[in-house]
Amino acid sequence: AEHQHSRYNPLRDDWVLVSAHRVKRPWQGQLEKPPPEDVPRWDPNNPLCPGATRANGEVNPQYEGTFVFPNDFPALQPDAPEPDDSDHPLFQTAPARGVCKVMCFHPWSDLTLPLMSLPEIRAVIDAWAELATELGASYPWVQIFENKGAMMGCSNPHPHCQVWASSFLPNEARLEDRTQRQHLSQHGVPMLLEYAEQEARRKERLVVENADWLVVVPYWATWPYQTLLLPRRHVCRLQDLSDSERDNLASIMQRLLIKYDNLFEVSFPYSMGWHGAPTGPYLEEDCRHWQLHAHYYPPLLRSATVRKFMVGYEMLAQAQRDLTPEQAAERLRSLPEVHYK
């Protein structure tokens, strides 16, 4: 808690430098603008709102729950041509095909996940699982992710996420596949199942828990208030969750996100995403080494206006953090679970 040391991240097979004494240094760097508090509930010019016209001329239905549609500016398309063959091993290319979808959580633009009801959050989870099943029938990787807040590059305040299905395993998926496979081979138990059991027992990095789930600031966290959402049962994919596990997932997500908002009394920015066993051709393979989990990466460090930057040493050497994961977890754990609004 007082002196610098390095911690190993077995999921990524890398290290993070923890420099706890630096948290006391004064801040004279950039101050961010807090997110706007006056987002209109419905705006005819917002392309994610019910009844609005999107950039491609499509008119959204008057949806009342979740709404899924193809991304109008997709990073992946299903019919992309094959790239040219490489003439040198230092200049390699590979095919990349897929589909990109956008999913609105709710018809109201001023309602983020922590302010939604449990049935509304459960509907989001069910839609996630449905998309994971549908796209995972043919694509090896289905990445569900949410960028929340302008600070995380989100260009629209309407509550939504994206789902990208790809014909290949992305870098993080390939890395986690290798490390989890190696752990099961060496220790006979899925890595994150064992890790969840250890954190549930130790409790020093535990933020919130219920019968089916727990949220921790991982021992190897790089972002100040980074968290890891883990099931207690061995489950490989989001679509494998039982009815009660989905209910309890809605509850624990709401509790975590309320704590996030309460930390600095602001709509808390983050990037989050689900990782689970690959799909498509991998559905027929042994994926017992995988354990479903969700990563939350929030950038805020000291207040609603001071963020953590991953630059300099982090980009050129390795990740570094000031606040220890135990201090971050204790602060989040102590926050009320009633939203400040």
Side-chain angles (χ1 to χ4, degrees), residues 183-200:
H183 187 92
L184 180 64
S185 174
Q186 293 178 348
H187 302 281
V189 61
M191 177 198 295
L192 291 181
L193 182 63
E194 181 178 11
Y195 179 68
E197 292 170 351
Q198 285 287 324
E199 290 287 31

Side-chain angles (χ1 to χ4, degrees), residues 132 135-143 166-170 172-178 180-181 236-240 274-293:
L135 298 173
S138 53
Y139 286 102
W141 191 255
V142 180
Q143 184 58 66
S166 61
S167 61
F168 55 90
L169 288 187
E172 293 297 311
R174 286 190 291 110
L175 182 56
E176 289 193 4
D177 185 71
R178 175 177 65 80
Q180 290 181 97
R181 187 185 300 274
C236 290
R237 299 177 177 92
L238 192 63
Q239 53 268 44
D240 298 335
W274 285 99
H275 281 173
T279 49
Y282 295 90
L283 291 170
E284 303 301 320
E285 296 189 8
D286 183 0
C287 291
R288 286 177 301 154
H289 55 291
W290 271 92
Q291 174 74 326
L292 177 70
H293 58 283

Side-chain angles (χ1 to χ4, degrees), residues 12-317:
R12 299 198 75 259
D13 189 23
D14 63 13
W15 293 80
V16 55
L17 174 63
V18 182
S19 309
H21 56 288
R22 276 168 48 92
V23 78
K24 300 173 184 177
R25 68 190 175 112
W27 181 259
Q28 295 180 321
Q30 177 172 317
L31 298 179
E32 308 289 339
K33 290 182 178 180
E37 297 281 348
D38 56 347
V39 176
R41 178 154 292 180
W42 183 81
D43 180 355
N45 297 314
N46 186 330
L48 298 187
C49 282
T53 302
R54 304 202 307 275
N56 63 353
E58 294 277 343
V59 178
N60 295 335
Q62 295 291 341
Y63 65 92
E64 298 181 351
T66 60
F67 170 50
V68 179
F69 62 93
N71 194 315
D72 297 329
F73 302 97
L76 291 163
Q77 295 176 322
D79 53 358
E82 291 275 337
D84 294 335
D85 292 334
S86 172
D87 62 355
H88 192 281
L90 292 179
F91 301 93
Q92 297 186 46
T93 57
R97 299 185 179 91
V99 295
C100 299
K101 294 182 179 289
V102 176
M103 187 179 113
C104 295
F105 296 153
H106 196 278
W108 295 355
S109 293
D110 59 343
L111 205 64
T112 56
L113 277 172
L115 296 172
M116 289 167 57
S117 69
L118 289 177
E120 288 168 339
I121 300 174
R122 168 64 195 266
V124 170
I125 293 165
D126 287 340
W128 282 343
E130 185 176 333
L131 280 170
T133 301
E134 173 194 334
L135 298 173
S138 53
Y139 286 102
W141 191 255
V142 180
Q143 184 58 66
I144 298 167
F145 66 97
E146 179 193 5
N147 294 325
K148 179 170 178 271
M151 197 180 297
M152 295 309 294
C154 184
S155 60
N156 193 311
H158 194 94
H160 71 285
C161 73
Q162 298 189 54
V163 183
W164 293 11
S166 61
S167 61
F168 55 90
L169 288 187
N171 294 341
E172 293 297 311
R174 286 190 291 110
L175 182 56
E176 289 193 4
D177 185 71
R178 175 177 65 80
T179 57
Q180 290 181 97
R181 187 185 300 274
Q182 184 177 354
H183 187 92
L184 180 64
S185 174
Q186 293 178 348
H187 302 281
V189 61
M191 177 198 295
L192 291 181
L193 182 63
E194 181 178 11
Y195 179 68
E197 292 170 351
Q198 285 287 324
E199 290 287 31
R201 180 174 61 82
R202 295 169 186 255
K203 297 194 181 302
E204 57 189 327
R205 285 169 296 275
L206 188 67
V207 176
V208 64
E209 63 180 329
N210 62 26
D212 293 312
W213 299 88
L214 67 155
V215 175
V216 301
V217 177
Y219 178 78
W220 52 79
T222 56
W223 294 93
Y225 293 98
Q226 175 182 335
T227 55
L228 186 62
L229 172 57
L230 295 162
R232 295 184 185 272
R233 176 177 73 92
H234 184 207
V235 54
C236 290
R237 299 177 177 92
L238 192 63
Q239 53 268 44
D240 298 335
L241 295 175
S242 69
D243 204 53
S244 61
E245 285 171 329
R246 295 185 188 197
D247 282 341
N248 279 331
L249 176 56
S251 174
I252 205 163
M253 283 175 54
Q254 185 189 61
R255 293 166 66 193
L256 169 65
L257 297 179
I258 285 174
K259 284 179 178 290
Y260 269 162
D261 280 9
N262 285 345
L263 179 61
F264 298 129
E265 294 195 350
V266 68
S267 185
F268 206 71
Y270 57 75
S271 283
M272 71 81 63
W274 285 99
H275 281 173
T279 49
Y282 295 90
L283 291 170
E284 303 301 320
E285 296 189 8
D286 183 0
C287 291
R288 286 177 301 154
H289 55 291
W290 271 92
Q291 174 74 326
L292 177 70
H293 58 283
H295 296 280
Y296 284 84
Y297 298 125
L300 294 180
L301 174 59
R302 300 179 182 216
S303 70
T305 61
V306 177
R307 66 174 297 175
K308 163 72 175 176
F309 288 93
M310 289 290 187
V311 294
Y313 190 86
E314 290 89 352
M315 295 177 71
L316 297 165

